[in-house]
Amino acid sequence: EAGVVQSPRYKIIEKKQPVAFWCNPISGHNTLYWYRQNLGQGPELLIRYENEEAVDDSQLPKDRFSAERLKGVDSTLKIQPAELGDSAVYLCASSLNAGGGTEAFFGQGTRLTVV
Amino acid sequence: GNSVTQMEGPVTLSEEAFLTINCTYTATGYPSLFWYVQYPGEGLQLLLKATKADDKGSNKGFEATYRKETTSFHLEKGSVQVSDSAVYFCALWARSNFGNEKLTFGTGTRLTIIP
């Protein structure tokens, strides 16, 4: 069975340009997460979906970041416009549900470099 | 708020040495605790977990015990191998200040095992 698939793996853009990341979770997983991982740090949650509903977007910088999960399956995270400080690895993860002991499965991430 | 503090790296050990990576946490309520591992070129994957006090999680020779009295979840392995070289993240699942439950990660510990 395929794991969490993310694309692209790498992206280099100039500041002020838009960028989008795509994630296809594991089939049947209702919960989808987007994390940002800065160099030398642990992942930090940006947004969590339960099916197509964003149930926790408290850490998403809404002035420039947006996300959607149409039909409750795959998801897109967008940044517009990108800033130098947005350079990071963006991770997508999914789980069957959001219970405390539920394992989250991570994709390989998209490494974004803003120049 | 919730937080995880783990041993700073990098950690370099010889093959067959004993490993301990310290992890302590601060959280409201009764969190679930996890160790995730990231091998070179791969995504984060769950190594082991414990969902209540005094539980011991174990996998691939690694162990960690949920110690509520010391708020710790130290990772141990009796005899490390070169293939254990990776970055290890301690994490907790608990309710945040915003009322949402989420996974909070430590900063990661890079482990290198030399033959």
Side-chain angles (χ1 to χ4, degrees):
Chain A
E1 180 183 347
V4 176
V5 179
Q6 292 187 245
S7 68
R9 287 292 311 279
Y10 305 92
K11 189 74 177 180
I12 301 174
I13 61 170
E14 294 183 343
K15 61 181 180 182
K16 301 184 182 179
Q17 294 302 305
V19 64
F21 315 123
W22 176 80
C23 172
N24 192 335
I26 292 173
S27 177
H29 281 194
N30 297 322
T31 306
L32 184 146
Y33 314 78
W34 283 103
Y35 287 85
R36 177 169 59 190
Q37 186 176 13
N38 292 314
L39 189 64
Q41 301 295 314
E44 295 180 330
L45 181 69
L46 291 173
I47 189 168
R48 171 165 66 98
Y49 282 92
E50 296 294 336
N51 299 304
E52 64 273 12
E53 181 183 0
V55 296
D56 183 358
D57 62 357
S58 56
Q59 303 301 304
L60 189 72
K62 298 181 183 63
D63 56 336
R64 298 182 300 107
F65 285 65
S66 65
E68 60 183 14
R69 192 185 184 196
L70 300 176
K71 301 181 181 178
V73 182
D74 54 354
S75 176
T76 304
L77 177 69
K78 298 178 182 178
I79 309 175
Q80 183 172 12
E83 297 179 352
L84 294 177
D86 296 330
S87 295
V89 176
Y90 291 83
L91 298 168
C92 180
S94 70
S95 62
L96 278 173
N97 53 57
T102 304
E103 178 178 357
F105 294 82
F106 285 79
Q108 290 185 293
T110 297
R111 182 178 297 277
L112 173 67
T113 302
V114 183
V115 297
Chain B
N2 300 327
S3 66
V4 176
T5 302
Q6 64 179 105
M7 181 174 172
E8 286 192 19
V11 174
T12 303
L13 295 173
S14 297
E15 205 166 19
E16 300 183 2
F18 183 86
L19 168 71
T20 300
I21 301 178
N22 290 336
C23 171
T24 57
Y25 67 89
T26 302
T28 53
Y30 302 94
S32 295
L33 301 174
F34 304 82
W35 277 99
Y36 277 82
V37 59
Q38 188 169 31
Y39 297 104
E42 299 184 16
L44 276 166
Q45 54 188 272
L46 180 66
L47 180 59
L48 53 84
K49 68 179 183 183
T51 57
K52 61 182 188 297
D54 299 326
D55 270 2
K56 178 186 285 188
S58 61
N59 186 25
K60 299 182 180 181
F62 291 88
E63 292 183 340
T65 301
Y66 188 161
R67 302 286 188 198
K68 188 171 183 297
E69 63 276 13
T70 54
T71 61
S72 65
F73 193 53
H74 304 323
L75 182 68
E76 296 183 336
K77 186 173 185 181
S79 177
V80 292
Q81 306 300 314
V82 172
S83 57
D84 294 326
S85 297
V87 182
Y88 292 81
F89 293 89
C90 186
L92 65 85
W93 178 277
R95 192 171 298 278
S96 72
N97 290 339
F98 294 93
N100 294 308
E101 290 187 318
K102 69 174 189 177
L103 200 56
T104 300
F105 287 86
T107 55
T109 302
R110 181 175 298 277
L111 173 67
T112 302
I113 308 300
I114 53 178

